[in-house]
Amino acid sequence: MLANTSDFGAYRGRFAPSPSGPLHFGSLVAALGSYLDAKAHNGSWLVRIEDIDTPRVVSGSDTLILKTLENYGLHWDESVRYQSACLAHYQTVLEQLISKDLVYACQCTRKQIKQHGGFYNGHCRDLQLTFDSQALRLKQTIPTYQFSDLFKGEINVESVFSEEDYIIKRRDGLFAYQLVVVLDDIAQKISHIVRGADLLFPTVRQISLFKQLDAPVPQFGHLPLAVAEPGFKLSKQNYAAAIDMDKPQQTLVAALKFLGVNTNKTLLDVSVDEIIQWAITAWQRKNVPANDEIQLITNETSFTFKPL
């Protein structure tokens, strides 16, 4: 089903920010980690703007994100992909899934699901509800319970999560992230996905969907999250401060330290491009901290980190 089942060739990585605001330190870590892993393995690094959740899109932030990446020496290969330009493709795949009886309408609310333990129990699977104004769920036919992470090793996920039928099109008519992220990765022939640990467990759903679509499954690696305090990750929704656009060296070196790269003070005196080229040669997966979270403590002159 719309899939290339041949094995992956060269390394193809990606960074996929949502245009809901400027890049903060946490998103820089994800961008930098994915870039270095790609370039250290002689691969390509692509950028995708995940603007499918239109209510969260902030006008002009995509341009600002791309400019910030360039200022930090993170230059992408190929053209930037926008999810908003791919709606017809998403709809085509959705219709194919429907034709195979893999999709059904669901009227359950979040409150109802929470009352039943927080996991959807398949209540609407056999009700044959009409699709109008309802969320659409994918039948989970190939559940995945574990995978090998590039940085964390073997990851095991609870069966109740792995077996859950999840939403692929929302009640408001917007396509869900869990569907489109996989379709984009297939379309761009992504072989390696390096991103934040907040997406660690949803990875099993995406692996299952690759298999349902008869597509090759990429390798996944999850980087520690930068948090202001335990359980409170830096994010645009939490109004995390934008990274410095004018003097990026200090922040870039701090992000390298965060990722386990041994740096030195001389890096602060060279250009951003020189820092990046040095970092590519210094990058080693084994040095990336296995922590899910690392607390970021900043002041005007320094960054310090506290593993959690």
Side-chain angles (χ1 to χ4, degrees):
M1 183 187 299
L2 293 179
N4 176 6
T5 57
S6 62
D7 292 335
F8 288 115
Y11 185 123
R12 289 173 64 81
R14 49 80 161 174
F15 174 58
S18 59
S20 54
L23 293 185
H24 52 76
F25 187 83
S27 47
L28 173 64
V29 165
L32 182 61
S34 62
Y35 181 91
L36 293 179
D37 199 67
K39 295 306 177 180
H41 293 90
N42 300 312
S44 299
W45 186 71
L46 284 64
V47 170
R48 175 193 312 153
I49 300 296
E50 295 194 335
D51 57 349
I52 197 69
D53 192 353
T54 50
R56 293 181 55 228
V57 171
V58 175
S59 179
S61 61
D62 59 326
T63 302
L64 178 58
I65 287 170
L66 296 176
K67 183 178 180 182
T68 304
L69 292 174
E70 290 182 320
N71 278 19
Y72 276 76
L74 303 178
H75 305 291
W76 55 92
D77 303 298
E78 304 179 12
S79 59
V80 176
R81 180 182 178 92
Y82 283 76
Q83 289 182 330
S84 57
C86 305
L87 299 181
H89 173 59
Y90 304 150
Q91 184 63 33
T92 296
V93 177
L94 175 62
E95 290 171 2
Q96 291 182 355
L97 292 168
I98 292 171
S99 72
K100 293 181 177 293
D101 193 30
L102 290 172
V103 179
Y104 62 93
C106 176
Q107 61 186 0
C108 297
T109 65
R110 290 184 179 180
K111 182 179 179 180
Q112 290 172 324
I113 294 171
K114 187 175 181 180
Q115 289 173 343
H116 288 86
F119 291 99
Y120 178 67
N121 62 6
H123 176 267
C124 297
R125 192 185 246 227
D126 298 319
L127 295 184
Q128 298 184 331
L129 301 171
T130 63
F131 284 11
D132 296 337
S133 301
Q134 304 286 9
L136 303 185
R137 290 186 182 271
L138 179 70
K139 293 180 181 178
Q140 181 57 271
T141 60
I142 313 177
T144 299
Y145 302 100
Q146 65 272 323
F147 68 96
S148 181
D149 190 274
L150 293 171
F151 311 116
K152 294 176 174 294
E154 196 72 15
I155 302 297
N156 295 285
V157 179
E158 290 185 66
S159 59
V160 67
F161 182 86
S162 297
E163 296 170 0
E164 186 178 36
D165 295 342
Y166 56 88
I167 291 173
I168 57 174
K169 196 170 189 182
R170 296 170 12 181
R171 192 185 306 272
D172 59 10
L174 296 178
F175 289 100
Y177 169 80
Q178 294 291 355
L179 174 68
V180 299
V181 68
V182 170
L183 298 185
D184 290 335
D185 286 331
I186 294 172
Q188 294 187 288
K189 296 181 173 61
I190 300 300
S191 66
H192 292 72
I193 298 172
V194 175
R195 59 190 183 182
D198 53 331
L199 293 169
L200 183 66
F201 293 142
T203 296
V204 295
R205 289 181 173 173
Q206 292 157 32
I207 290 174
S208 293
L209 184 52
F210 279 109
K211 293 178 179 178
Q212 284 181 291
L213 296 172
D214 195 25
V217 179
Q219 294 185 58
F220 289 84
H222 292 85
L223 306 168
L225 298 176
V227 299
E229 56 187 59
F232 192 81
K233 75 168 186 172
L234 301 182
S235 70
K236 296 164 189 173
Q237 290 74 32
N238 294 330
Y239 306 105
I243 53 177
D244 191 341
M245 288 277 284
D246 299 322
K247 297 179 179 179
Q249 282 89 341
Q250 183 184 18
T251 307
L252 184 57
V253 170
L256 288 171
K257 290 181 180 178
F258 186 95
L259 289 167
V261 179
N262 290 322
T263 61
N264 56 71
K265 291 183 179 180
T266 61
L267 290 174
L268 297 174
D269 299 322
V270 302
S271 70
V272 164
D273 287 337
E274 287 176 297
I275 295 174
I276 292 295
Q277 290 306 309
W278 174 87
I280 291 171
T281 64
W283 177 257
Q284 294 188 58
R285 288 175 180 169
K286 66 180 183 180
N287 291 337
V288 174
N291 310 71
D292 286 342
E293 297 182 347
I294 297 178
Q295 188 172 4
L296 173 67
I297 303 168
T298 64
N299 57 41
E300 293 183 359
T301 59
S302 67
F303 293 80
T304 54
F305 310 116
K306 179 181 178 182
L308 300 173

